[in-house]
């Protein structure tokens, strides 16, 4: 009988990716409602302004991770994602600029968007990402980046149908390029994260995990924390959650004291 190479029943990459796809960051009432276009004009305006904080600050957050990454193979993959965020060398494709075009197309002034104070849930999301991505615990930072990149396709697949519906019925001049362009790029971003996990011994979809048990825990902690922050962002926009104080999710709570005060 032939002897086949030993394989894990389910690789580390496959397990954590499945955890991402089950998370409330992309399975929640707000995204379900948005996907159907069931948001008021006020809610849509609020979404557009709050999401702009992510579009503005994400390159800085990603750069902080890059300059704190010791492993050169991982740094290579992060560079690809950052370069993509900055337009792959094409100034007009810079993602934050594409988002500005979206804001203008729906009647939102850029100055107003930039100077509108963030909601507490949005600020928690942005600051949480900053702490996670610049963590001195490399596996934690990599887990956060992995979580964000692997939830993205599902997130865009909720947002784009809702935006399309809103464009058809209320905002005919809406420029959706930021969203559709991101959707086209996400497979490459996911692949970059798979390669990054492989580079540190976590193995990809076809291999067995070799990271230490502590590195696995740190990775999963970072991954779950960033997704918890993202879920909090969406729930901060959910009208049904208005007036209800939600407790901080456990992984984010657990990381708060550990990450507070760490140097970038």
């Amino acid at each position: 009988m032939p002897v086949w190479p030993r394989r894990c029943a389910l690789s580390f990459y496959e397990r954590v990716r499945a955890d991402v796809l089950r998370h409330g960051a992309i399975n929640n009432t707000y995204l379900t409602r948005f996907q159907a276009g069931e948001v008021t004009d006020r809610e849509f305006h609020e979404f557009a302004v709050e999401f702009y904080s992510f579009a503005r600050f994400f390159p800085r957050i990603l750069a902080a991770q890059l300059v704190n990454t010791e492993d050169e193979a991982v740094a290579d993959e992060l560079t690809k994602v950052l370069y993509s965020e900055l337009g792959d060398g094409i100034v007009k494709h810079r993602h934050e600029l594409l988002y500005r075009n979206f804001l203008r197309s729906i009647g939102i002034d850029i100055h107003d968007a930039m100077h509108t104070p963030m909601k507490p849930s949005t600020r928690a999301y942005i600051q949480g990402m900053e702490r996670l991505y610049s963590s001195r615990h490399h596996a934690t930072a990599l887990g956060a980046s992995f979580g964000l990149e692997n939830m993205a396709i599902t997130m865009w697949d909720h947002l784009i149908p809702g935006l399309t519906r809103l464009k058809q019925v209320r905002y005919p001049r809406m420029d959706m390029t930021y969203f559709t362009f991101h959707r086209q790029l996400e497979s490459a971003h996911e692949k970059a994260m798979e390669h990054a996990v492989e580079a540190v011994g976590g193995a990809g979809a076809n291999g067995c995990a070799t990271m230490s048990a502590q590195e696995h825990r740190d990775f999963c902690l970072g991954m779950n924390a960033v997704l918890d922050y993202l879920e909090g962002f969406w729930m901060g926009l959910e009208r049904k959650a208005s007036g209800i104080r939600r407790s901080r999710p456990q992984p984010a709570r657990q990381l708060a004291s550990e990450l507070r005060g760490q140097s970038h």
Side-chain angles (χ1 to χ4, degrees), residues 92-107:
K92 291 184 179 180
H93 288 178
R94 179 170 57 87
H95 295 187
E96 189 266 347
L97 178 60
L98 297 179
Y99 200 92
R100 289 188 181 206
N101 294 339
F102 162 68
L103 290 175
R104 292 188 186 99
S105 73
I106 58 173

Side-chain angles (χ1 to χ4, degrees), residues 228 231-232 244-250 252-253:
D228 286 344
E231 182 181 5
I244 301 175
R245 184 173 181 177
R246 293 170 54 88
S247 61
R248 181 180 295 178
Q250 181 61 34
R253 249 198 337 263

Side-chain angles (χ1 to χ4, degrees), residues 13 17 76-82 84 88 95 149-150 152-153 156 181-196:
Y13 168 84
R17 190 168 189 279
D76 287 347
E77 300 302 330
L78 295 175
T79 299
K80 293 175 186 177
V81 178
L82 179 57
S84 172
D88 286 320
H95 295 187
E149 295 300 341
N150 279 270
I153 286 178
W156 300 128
F181 190 64
H182 265 89
R183 178 60 180 83
Q184 294 170 5
L185 294 174
E186 290 305 339
S187 293
H189 288 189
E190 280 192 4
K191 184 60 67 174
M193 285 300 101
E194 181 181 350
H195 290 165

Side-chain angles (χ1 to χ4, degrees), residues 58-72:
F58 185 61
R60 185 183 76 184
I61 293 168
L62 191 57
Q65 182 182 11
L66 176 60
V67 301
N68 283 287
T69 298
E70 182 175 349
D71 188 286
E72 293 180 7

